[in-house]
Amino acid sequence: MRIGVLTAGGDCPGLNAVIRSVVHRAVHDRNDEVIGFEDGFTGLLDGRYRTLDTNDVAGILARGGTILGSARLERDRLREACDNSEELIDRLGLDALIPIGGEGTLTAARMLADAGLPVVGVPKTIDNDISATDRTFGFDTAVGVATEAMDRLKTTAESHQRVMVVEVMGRHAGWIALEAGMAAGAHGICIPERPFEVDDLVKMVEERFAREKKFALICVAEGAHPAEGSMPYEKGVIDRYGHERFVGIGNRLASELEHRLGKEAKPVILGHVQRGGTPTAYDRVLATRFGWHAVEAAHRGDFGRMTALRGTEIVMTPLANAVTELKRVPQDRMDEAESVY
Ligand code: F6P
């Protein structure tokens, strides 16, 4: 078989582990040819690719980022590709295409599969918000990075009697905020699924300071927003990839708390540090399993589907399932996280 692989959308620890696994299984075990498209779907459309053999993927298992590069694709170009899918398949001579990506990439993958391309998707995102899989690789790493940062911030917050507002990633789903917040023992967790009341946070901090626990740690997802009328707030504009541009909730919340409490409140924006660097052992294993199963699916002709984790098993599920609904934090998970301050 001639198998194409690409990484698209935001990068994520574990992408290289998938690429390595695809090459090992396909080239070494099954005698396939693997080509890697550069910079996501743009490399596919522009015909920019290189052949990958086992030497090309030596030593990349633990490396963050993606050796193929990644990019977001403008919607117009994607539609153009779908309209010319037959010509694209002929030109590239592909028997299978394995796009590795998050919600946007899997939506594109589904459109290309519907247009006739032999696509096997592999889900990735640090946000863990793809409903068709129990977990995505990258999430465990991001939670680890955010937890470690908050452990550190807690000790300095305590020394200086400060409030720390730590903003983590999570556009529409608050999984990183929830799990890293729980792991670090944050005193407040704000997620996109549930608008927060600033008054509740003010009360929590005041109670802690009254009890001589004169510091507080609040973990806020970048997509979290205050309840209507809770504090001045306006939504960000939508960019050309269909994503909302965030307005910096960490900074805004910290300044609102400082103003209302009359105490120092410091914002810390963790940003892309959560996406960089080496993947955890868990993410390396999950990514490697996804790569292996994607090649097997290609050999079975199991197209229009993607790899998914169900319990401890890897299964194949229709790409359509991956993109209909985002996996959001349910109320009972938030209830579990809310403890005594
Ligand atoms: O989708 C993953 C994610 O990490 C989001 O949490 C975040 O909003 C987004 O990517 C930012 O990506 P970029 O800055 O690369 O556009």
Side-chain angles (χ1 to χ4, degrees):
M1 286 188 100
R2 182 169 152 95
I3 299 177
V5 60
L6 62 83
T7 51
D11 72 347
C12 170
L15 288 172
N16 282 328
V18 183
I19 297 167
R20 171 181 172 274
S21 176
V22 166
V23 171
H24 281 186
R25 185 61 180 160
V27 176
H28 184 266
D29 299 348
R30 284 192 165 272
N31 222 9
D32 295 329
E33 183 191 0
V34 174
I35 58 173
F37 291 101
E38 289 163 8
D39 307 327
F41 287 109
T42 53
L44 175 80
L45 300 184
D46 300 343
R48 275 188 294 114
Y49 61 86
R50 58 185 192 265
T51 303
L52 296 175
D53 70 22
T54 47
N55 287 332
D56 298 309
V57 296
I60 67 168
L61 175 60
R63 203 192 300 168
T66 161
I67 59 165
L68 293 175
S70 190
R72 300 197 193 280
L73 184 65
E74 285 168 38
R75 288 175 179 198
D76 289 352
R77 285 213 75 193
L78 178 62
R79 279 190 210 105
E80 190 187 307
C82 290
D83 293 343
N84 301 302
S85 61
E86 276 180 30
E87 186 270 327
L88 195 62
I89 296 170
D90 288 350
R91 178 156 49 91
L92 298 168
L94 282 183
D95 298 306
L97 174 68
I98 302 179
I100 312 164
E103 185 216 349
T105 302
L106 295 172
T107 304
R110 185 196 173 183
M111 287 168 70
L112 290 170
D114 289 348
L117 258 74
V119 175
V120 177
V122 171
K124 69 90 218 176
T125 165
I126 65 162
D127 295 344
N128 197 38
D129 59 359
I130 295 173
S131 53
T133 181
D134 289 354
R135 281 251 164 161
T136 48
F137 62 85
F139 175 63
D140 190 63
T141 306
V143 168
V145 169
T147 302
E148 201 214 322
M150 283 191 279
D151 286 346
R152 291 173 185 279
L153 290 165
K154 235 175 167 176
T155 62
T156 173
E158 186 165 18
S159 307
H160 291 273
Q161 306 194 345
R162 282 174 175 152
V163 178
M164 288 285 178
V165 178
V166 183
E167 183 185 300
V168 297
M169 280 187 169
R171 192 169 273 282
H172 305 291
W175 291 105
I176 298 175
L178 175 81
E179 296 217 351
M182 280 179 94
H187 310 108
I189 297 175
C190 305
I191 60 172
E193 290 85 343
R194 197 176 65 167
F196 60 87
E197 292 286 350
V198 182
D199 286 349
D200 292 347
L201 295 170
V202 167
K203 192 163 159 260
M204 176 274 288
V205 175
E206 277 172 343
E207 281 174 10
R208 283 184 58 76
F209 275 69
R211 295 201 326 259
E212 297 197 4
K213 293 195 183 298
K214 298 191 192 307
F215 74 101
L217 177 73
I218 297 171
C219 182
V220 54
E222 63 187 341
H225 51 93
E228 190 78 39
S230 179
M231 66 180 245
Y233 176 81
E234 70 287 337
K235 287 191 129 205
V237 294
I238 305 294
D239 71 14
R240 62 194 168 127
Y241 304 107
H243 289 165
E244 184 185 341
R245 275 192 197 281
F246 290 117
V247 288
I249 190 65
N251 284 315
R252 286 178 179 223
L253 179 58
S255 88
E256 184 73 14
L257 289 174
E258 189 160 285
H259 173 68
R260 292 209 200 172
L261 288 159
K263 303 182 195 316
E264 269 190 302
K266 299 271 185 195
V268 178
I269 316 300
L270 294 186
H272 294 81
V273 74
Q274 296 159 94
R275 270 182 16 195
T278 188
T280 59
Y282 180 93
D283 284 338
R284 292 179 206 183
V285 172
L286 183 58
T288 300
R289 294 180 75 199
F290 276 177
W292 193 97
H293 283 270
V295 172
E296 292 308 291
H299 275 268
R300 289 194 305 271
D302 207 357
F303 299 123
R305 288 149 78 85
M306 64 166 220
T307 58
L309 181 70
R310 290 276 157 71
T312 57
E313 301 299 309
I314 307 295
V315 299
M316 298 304 297
T317 188
L319 278 167
N321 289 353
V323 296
T324 40
E325 204 186 335
L326 279 182
K327 180 171 67 192
R328 293 174 198 273
V329 175
Q331 183 60 44
D332 60 335
R333 289 297 311 270
M334 269 307 274
D335 292 344
E336 291 166 1
E338 274 162 347
S339 54
V340 181
Y341 301 123

